[in-house]
Amino acid sequence: MKVLRLVAAAVLVFSVAFTAFYGKDKIADNGVSVSPAEYKGILTLWHIDTFEGGVGSRKQFLMSVSRDFEKNNTGVLVMATDHTAESAEQALSEGKFPDLISFGVGVDVKNLQPLDVDVNSYGGGYNGVTYAVPWARGGYCLIENPEFMSNKNEKIPLIVSQGEFTNPLVAFALSGKTETNIEILTPMNAYVKFVSGKARYLLGTQRDINRLITRGMDFVSEPLAGYNDLYQYISVTTSDPEKREYCEKFVKFIISDCVQKNLHKIGMYGCYSEAEYDSPDMAAMQKATGKCCISAFSSAELVKDLQAKGKLAAAGDENELAKIKKLIVSP
């Protein structure tokens, strides 16, 4: 009996050792041996909103894209973090850099790496080198309330939805339109005033169209294709060679057809492939790509200067319109 116990103990020790040192690398999955995934690391992605989107969250969309990317790149994880323009600029000034950064115009981004991508950069290039490409875009539009009623003698202003880093009046002026009676409001206040029946026209964006569709309100929209700065760009900011390889793969993935065509999920538009929309207003907006834009790296000061010039140009000032044309670039 003692001999049998010793034999059993020896077999048990061998089994444990075999599992620990060899079996762990060949764990059967339905009878098929598979090797463990090679861990490669975490890519950090900062996301900064500088303009209103469509519906839902762009960060959540990025997280969904990241999960799909991880499935095709075993061992690579992408961690997305929200930032404001201010918090991102503060961190960057302190030498804290992510591996990837998603941003809009008006943010002082740093440490950008050249991208080897064969697509239109929409203002994301400098001296012939691409440093940023947009992965989503919005657009400006003129929206009319067809049921608006008012005293014909009452002067009703054009309500303008303008964010901190947006230039709707530049799009208005570069689309060949003029208006002297203008009221500029924050995006939400502009929308509320329009749906309250206090204005006939709203100079807004895809966000307003999405809101009106959800509300079920009748409206007529006209896309403004003269100018657009509502681009959500992405850049690589790591200087680590191995990470750069995977970061660039992520950039190429997010601008690929399979991702671009899913932007309807957040009520935005692709820059390289069209998403399918049931709404004719959203479909028309998608086709109205801006004829010009500003650099992706435009400072907040330049954006503010354009806002002032845009108001004057929209009122018919040809000199200011000429100045604006010197500041913009073709997409």
Side-chain angles (χ1 to χ4, degrees):
M1 293 296 294
K2 184 175 181 180
V3 171
L4 290 175
R5 285 198 298 270
L6 289 173
V7 171
V11 171
L12 179 61
V13 169
F14 174 78
S15 299
V16 171
F18 182 89
T19 300
F21 295 105
Y22 179 77
K24 68 180 180 66
D25 291 330
K26 296 289 180 180
I27 300 173
D29 182 9
N30 293 326
V32 179
S33 294
V34 295
S35 299
E38 180 186 353
Y39 177 73
K40 297 186 178 71
I42 297 174
L43 305 180
T44 55
L45 167 60
W46 290 1
H47 174 71
I48 308 162
D49 284 335
T50 58
F51 62 92
E52 288 192 311
V55 295
S57 163
R58 272 165 283 178
K59 182 202 169 183
Q60 291 300 318
F61 184 83
L62 281 174
M63 291 175 66
S64 175
V65 172
S66 298
R67 300 297 84 82
D68 290 337
F69 178 77
E70 290 167 359
K71 291 175 185 176
N72 297 320
N73 293 273
T74 307
V76 178
L77 301 176
V78 182
M79 184 174 66
T81 305
D82 267 330
H83 267 281
T84 63
E86 293 76 15
S87 66
E89 288 178 356
Q90 177 63 35
L92 291 171
S93 68
E94 294 172 356
K96 301 173 184 176
F97 302 111
D99 300 312
L100 293 151
I101 187 165
S102 166
F103 66 99
V105 296
V107 181
D108 185 16
V109 288
K110 301 179 185 297
N111 210 48
L112 302 185
Q113 305 298 315
L115 293 173
D116 181 20
V117 289
D118 187 22
V119 294
N120 191 331
S121 70
Y122 292 86
Y126 181 74
N127 283 344
V129 180
T130 299
Y131 293 95
V133 291
W135 62 268
R137 66 177 173 88
Y140 294 109
C141 57
L142 189 62
I143 306 172
E144 180 185 4
N145 178 356
E147 299 179 358
F148 180 79
M149 300 289 290
S150 70
N151 186 324
K152 292 184 179 179
N153 296 322
E154 183 183 2
K155 293 204 70 177
I156 305 298
L158 166 66
I159 301 301
V160 178
S161 171
Q162 182 172 286
E164 183 179 1
F165 301 106
T166 67
N167 272 287
L169 287 170
V170 171
F172 185 77
L174 287 173
S175 295
K177 299 183 180 296
T178 58
E179 178 59 63
T180 55
N181 192 14
I182 290 171
E183 183 178 0
I184 300 174
L185 298 173
T186 61
M188 180 52 72
N189 287 341
Y191 170 76
V192 169
K193 187 161 188 175
F194 180 73
V195 298
S196 298
K198 297 178 181 178
R200 180 170 183 172
Y201 293 100
L202 168 66
L203 176 51
T205 70
Q206 77 293 330
R207 177 65 163 173
D208 298 297
I209 290 181
N210 279 290
R211 285 174 174 146
L212 291 168
I213 291 172
T214 301
R215 189 183 184 89
M217 177 176 169
D218 288 334
F219 66 94
V220 177
S221 69
E222 177 189 350
L224 300 180
Y227 166 88
N228 192 16
D229 54 22
L230 304 180
Y231 293 107
Q232 189 71 41
Y233 294 93
I234 189 164
S235 291
V236 174
T237 46
T238 182
S239 53
D240 180 278
E242 185 176 9
K243 280 190 171 185
R244 278 183 62 182
E245 178 184 347
Y246 285 99
C247 285
E248 191 158 293
K249 285 184 71 175
F250 184 84
V251 171
K252 290 178 179 178
F253 180 65
I254 202 171
I255 63 176
S256 65
D257 287 351
C258 64
V259 175
Q260 295 281 291
K261 290 181 178 180
N262 278 324
L263 285 166
H264 65 87
K265 294 179 180 179
I266 54 171
M268 296 188 72
Y269 315 114
C271 299
Y272 312 104
S273 302
E274 291 188 356
E276 292 187 8
Y277 278 104
D278 294 329
S279 162
D281 296 280
M282 290 295 288
M285 283 283 288
Q286 180 167 237
K287 292 185 180 299
T289 54
K291 293 179 181 177
C292 56
C293 58
I294 54 175
S295 169
F297 319 117
S298 298
S299 66
E301 291 74 24
L302 175 61
V303 173
K304 296 296 182 187
D305 182 50
L306 269 176
Q307 288 176 345
K309 285 179 168 57
K311 185 175 182 181
L312 294 171
D317 191 322
E318 292 292 337
N319 289 330
E320 292 301 321
L321 186 61
K323 292 177 183 177
I324 289 173
K325 290 179 178 179
K326 292 180 180 179
L327 295 173
I328 58 179
V329 296
S330 298

